[in-house]
Every structure is written in structure tokens, then in C-alpha cells.
Amino acid sequence: MPTQLPPAHPFDDDKLREECGVFGVVGVADAANFVALGLHALQHRGQEAGGIVTHDAKTGFNQARRMGLVRDNFTSADTMQILPGSIGIGHVRYSTAGVKGQTAIRDVQPFFGEFSMGGAAIAHNGNITNAMQLRRELIERGSIFQSSSDSECIIHLMARSMGRNIPDRMEEALRKVEGAFSIVAMTRTKLLGCRDPLGVRPLVLGKIGDGWALASETCAFDIIGADFVREIEPGEMVVITAERGVESHFPFRPNRARFCIFEHVYFSRPDSILGGRSVYETRENIGRELAKEAPVDADLVCPVPDSGTPAAIGYALQSGIPYAMGIIRNQYMGRTFIEPTEQIRNMGVRLKLNVNRALIKGKRVILVDDSVVRGTTSQKIKEMILDAGAKEVHFRIASPPTAWPCFYGVDTPQREKLLAATMSEDEMRDHLGVDSLKFITLDGLYRAVGEAGGRDSSAPAYCDACFSGEYPVAPSDMIEQGFQAKTAAE
């Protein structure tokens, strides 16, 4: 039996799961220590497993892949001693391909391969939408897969390439890949980074002393004392060495960028920078826009912690209604706290969240959350607020209704399990049993992230498929399995 872990949130399956986090560094002593710190800062992007690969002139390539959290696996001297070298990459994972919530050690990245010109390791954030098709073709040609991960296709495509060197082989492989990818890779001396032509997933470049770093988010640079230099451009590949610095290539046909708008709403840490904008400030702007679009008379604005906090602050500032911590999060609710038996499951979110009864009693409360997926958590929170004596409960949601699944690296439920796919806003309000329910409009969300004119339906600036159903890259594998994409009439 493969090693398995329970879902990252065993008492709450009502959130879109962060995809994965990637990090790499070159030109520093003890690279593995920097990679471990970077992955720790990116832990919110994946909590199931993590891995690190380094290279040292004496010992060659070294790797460690572990189930669980970075702090539990990559802090001991024994583990870090087996990862020497001045170049390294790492990955934290939440499974988006294969069996959800049941990561096997063989699926943990980075993946490593030996080629005729030397070894290479690769870590991937995103999702390959034609992975099933590629996998079939590769297996028919003799490839032997070791994992269920879509990312392994890239290694096999590189092995079959006739490119002169590893960067050339990676370029050729990625030209055959559809979907979303932000990649960090390494050879013995080179750190590589690449984003798909639409730039759906994030990747940033940093400078640390004489060395360089790549990461999914800028918050990973802060923890190691690196300076944020710039974002890797959509469709750009960088090849970095300690001696020559950063060389930039653009191997793909130019395309209009479609960065994932949900990074601004939820996935990225609020202390990161996206597109030159503070994520925290953007989320506060979302709250302000939501207050303009959906005002309501109430006594308190309360966030659903922690993801709803910046938007709740913005809503309170715009509306003039006092902000209050009406719900307190138990920060020490660990994933292995207790075996989730049926009796414990019935306690629901009470193991993670508790209502500040003295504050809530007799009040008309606005609850601000980042999204509604299945609606199960929203119902439980509403019940807790009413049990504490609230007079009214109003939900304000800092994203439009999530009505379509994501195929670009986010673990989204099947469409029929998404509340907004089967119900109108009023029907959702009645289903949740709240006094009012309002989502920010798609135009309002675009204004909050800096698009003053709102969403240009003819040329959207972001990937918003989970809200609009308009997929910038056709989800080939899912369509093959019978998924019905949105039609023009819809």
C-alpha cells in the first residue's frame, strides 16, 4: 500500500485547494537550507508532501521526498546533511492529478531524470490539460511511468527530445504541453524557470547575495532575505548560472496573458506582490468594491478567518460599519489532532473556528468570506453565529459565484457539486438560510484588481474560467471524458 495522508483539511472540504509551490536557488552555500525555508513560506500552496533536489560536485545529485509538512521533514540536521550543494530546487504539493488527497511518495516532486548530457530535476506548478493523451502516446512508444502525476510527462518528453542540451530539451517538451505550468528545473550548474504562454500560474525572480532564486510567490524571498527582481514573463524561460547570471528566452508563440485571477482572491499569501500590486491591498479593494455593490444595514463586519480578513477590513472601511473579530480561529488545529470519526466530523468547523459570543449576541452581522464552493462550511458557520445569539446573518463573498471547475492546477469539485452551478444567488441564500447573500460581480472583481473599466468580455485580462466558464486553453483530457464546456449561447 502506498503511504497516504488524510486530506489537508479533514473537517472542511469546502475550499478550493491551493495548487503547488515551487522554489529554486543557485549560487549560494547550502542551497537546501534556502530551499527548505522558501518551501516553508509557500506551505499554504500545498500541505500533502514536499521534496528537495540538490547537486554537489562530490556527491552528484541528491534528493529527499517526504510526506507531510516542511517543518516536520526538512529541519533536522540528518536530513539536510544528505542534500549538499550550491544549487537546489523544491516543491510542495497538493494533488491535482491522480487520486485526490492520497498522494503516494512516488508522486512527490521534484522529478529527476538522467539524460545523455547529464541529470536534471523538474518541479511543476499547474496542470497539464492534455496529460492523458501525452501519457498514452509515450507509453505506446516505450516510456515507463513511475508516478500518477501529469508532471512526469515533461521528463519523458525531454528524454525523447533531440535537443543539444537540457534547456533545449525542456523547450521542445513544453511546446507539446497544453494547460498551465510554472516550472523550476535544474541541471548540475543551471537553474531554469519557465511559465506557460498565458502565464496562468505565477513565478518570480529574486536576488540573494551573488546567487539567484525562483519562487511561486515573493513571500518566499522575504524569509531568505532575497530581493524581488521581477516576475518571469508569460512564455518566458530563464536559464540562470552563478557565473553568467540570468539569460532570458521566449520559446513560445506570443499570446495574450491570462493570469489566474483567483490568486488575487485567495491562493497567494496576502504579503506577496502580484503584478506589482500588494495582494493584501488588492483584497482590501475587493472588500471596498463589494461594499459599494452590495450594501446592507448591519452592526458588525466580521471576516471568516483567515482568508476573508483583508476583504472584511475593506468592506468595513468603505461601509463605515465597525470591523470585529466575531469568529476566532484555533491556530493549533493540526492535521493529526484527532482521528476524524463520525462523531468528531459532526462537530464540523467548531474544531477550527469558535464564535466570540459576547461580541455577536443581539447583533446584525455581515460575514465576509473569500468564496462559496459546496456551501457546507457556510451553513455551519451561519448556524454557529445564530447559536451565539446573532439577530441577522448576511454573507458577502469576495469573489463571483464559483460555477465551473478549474483544470489549470486547482482541485475543484465536479461541476454538479458546485453550489453556484445549480442555484441562482437567491436560491443559494435560501439554501444557506441567511438573511442575505451577495457575491462581488466579475466586473467589480476586475475593478478591484486594477482594471478600471471592469472585465472586457472580448479580451479578458485574467483567467476567470471558474467564474465565467470561458477556458483560455481547452481542457482536452476532460472534454475527452465527456466534460461539457460552455457554449457561446451560454
Side-chain angles (χ1 to χ4, degrees):
M1 289 289 290
T3 303
Q4 296 181 357
L5 282 178
H9 305 281
F11 305 101
D12 177 13
D13 62 352
D14 197 25
K15 287 290 183 185
L16 300 184
R17 301 297 183 211
E18 302 89 336
E19 322 85 28
C20 299
V22 294
F23 188 89
V25 68
V26 64
V28 298
D30 300 319
N33 290 328
F34 287 93
V35 175
L37 288 169
L39 294 180
H40 180 71
L42 297 172
Q43 190 78 84
H44 58 289
R45 301 186 71 88
Q47 300 89 44
E48 286 189 358
I52 296 175
V53 174
T54 64
H55 183 272
D56 177 69
K58 293 181 179 179
T59 62
F61 284 94
N62 312 279
Q63 59 182 319
R65 296 185 290 170
R66 303 284 189 269
M67 310 304 296
L69 302 177
V70 174
R71 71 184 184 205
D72 297 330
N73 291 307
F74 296 102
T75 54
S76 72
D78 290 344
T79 300
M80 304 314 287
Q81 282 175 0
I82 67 172
L83 296 168
S86 60
I87 181 172
I89 65 172
H91 185 271
V92 287
R93 182 175 197 262
Y94 180 83
S95 58
T96 56
V99 182
K100 302 293 190 293
Q102 296 183 359
T103 297
I105 196 69
R106 65 179 185 166
D107 292 328
V108 180
Q109 300 183 44
F111 291 130
F112 175 78
E114 285 282 2
F115 304 100
S116 58
M117 67 283 295
I122 186 169
H124 167 220
N125 170 215
N127 209 46
I128 298 172
T129 58
N130 65 334
M132 289 171 55
Q133 174 189 333
L134 290 173
R135 193 181 184 99
R136 281 197 306 267
E137 294 173 359
L138 288 162
I139 290 174
E140 287 173 359
R141 295 174 186 175
S143 293
I144 300 173
F145 280 75
Q146 301 296 319
S147 77
S148 65
S149 172
D150 60 334
S151 309
E152 193 182 352
C153 290
I154 300 170
I155 286 285
H156 288 284
L157 290 170
M158 290 171 65
R160 293 188 168 274
S161 166
M162 299 303 292
R164 294 172 299 130
N165 52 46
I166 297 295
D168 286 349
R169 288 189 172 210
M170 194 165 87
E171 283 188 17
E172 184 178 331
L174 293 177
R175 287 193 190 102
K176 299 176 181 178
V177 165
E178 298 173 5
F181 55 83
S182 281
I183 286 171
V184 295
M186 61 175 281
T187 67
R188 289 169 293 185
T189 59
K190 296 173 181 176
L191 177 66
L192 295 86
C194 188
R195 289 179 76 188
D196 68 78
L198 298 182
V200 177
R201 305 260 70 88
L203 190 65
V204 291
L205 174 69
K207 189 80 170 69
I208 177 165
D210 295 329
W212 297 87
L214 292 168
S216 292
E217 294 183 39
T218 61
C219 63
F221 294 154
D222 298 333
I223 197 172
I224 64 169
D227 295 322
F228 170 49
V229 176
R230 65 177 178 88
E231 295 184 3
I232 303 302
E233 295 294 323
E236 180 184 13
M237 175 184 283
V238 291
V239 181
I240 310 171
T241 60
E243 298 76 23
R244 300 178 63 178
V246 181
E247 298 177 2
S248 178
H249 309 272
F250 286 87
F252 308 106
R253 183 180 301 172
N255 213 323
R256 183 168 46 84
R258 296 289 296 274
F259 183 63
C260 172
I261 201 167
F262 213 79
E263 290 278 354
H264 287 288
V265 174
Y266 174 63
F267 293 138
S268 293
R269 253 176 50 170
D271 50 335
S272 286
I273 303 294
L274 290 178
R277 297 168 60 90
S278 158
V279 174
Y280 179 92
E281 292 179 2
T282 296
R283 290 177 186 168
E284 185 180 297
N285 288 342
I286 292 173
R288 288 180 178 274
E289 196 68 37
L290 186 55
K292 295 175 187 176
E293 291 187 344
V296 62
D297 288 333
D299 303 306
L300 296 174
V301 177
C302 300
V304 176
D306 292 312
S307 53
T309 300
I313 291 171
Y315 194 104
L317 290 171
Q318 182 66 37
S319 66
I321 299 171
Y323 170 88
M325 293 297 292
I327 303 174
I328 307 301
R329 185 180 184 89
N330 178 3
Q331 300 293 341
Y332 302 98
M333 171 58 192
R335 62 186 300 149
T336 57
F337 167 67
I338 194 168
E339 181 68 22
T341 62
E342 188 62 31
Q343 182 180 4
I344 296 298
R345 284 186 187 278
N346 290 336
M347 295 181 184
V349 295
R350 295 178 189 272
L351 285 162
K352 294 194 305 179
L353 304 174
N354 192 42
V355 177
N356 190 342
R357 289 176 172 269
L359 191 68
I360 292 297
K361 187 174 182 180
K363 300 293 197 306
R364 299 170 298 169
V365 180
I366 300 170
L367 292 176
V368 180
D369 204 354
D370 61 272
S371 60
V372 172
V373 182
R374 290 181 173 92
T376 53
T377 300
S378 299
Q379 282 183 314
K380 293 172 185 175
I381 290 173
K382 178 264 300 186
E383 291 167 3
M384 291 167 61
I385 295 291
L386 290 177
D387 287 347
K391 189 176 179 181
E392 296 176 5
V393 179
H394 304 271
F395 265 109
R396 293 296 179 267
I397 309 301
S399 62
T402 303
W404 295 86
C406 174
F407 301 116
Y408 306 132
V410 181
D411 182 24
T412 318
Q414 294 176 342
R415 187 165 190 243
E416 57 269 22
K417 295 182 180 179
L418 295 169
L419 205 64
T422 58
M423 296 184 185
S424 68
E425 192 173 89
D426 287 344
E427 288 171 334
M428 284 188 278
R429 177 200 63 205
D430 295 341
H431 175 76
L432 296 176
V434 293
D435 292 278
S436 71
L437 168 69
K438 294 292 181 182
F439 296 79
I440 193 170
T441 64
L442 200 48
D443 275 336
L445 179 57
Y446 269 74
R447 287 192 293 269
V449 299
E451 299 291 324
R455 184 182 190 267
D456 181 353
S457 59
S458 63
Y462 290 88
C463 176
D464 53 31
C466 55
F467 307 131
S468 67
E470 298 174 14
Y471 294 95
V473 180
S476 304
D477 287 343
M478 300 308 299
I479 291 173
E480 183 180 307
Q481 294 183 66
F483 174 74
Q484 298 294 316
K486 187 175 181 178
T487 65
E490 293 179 271

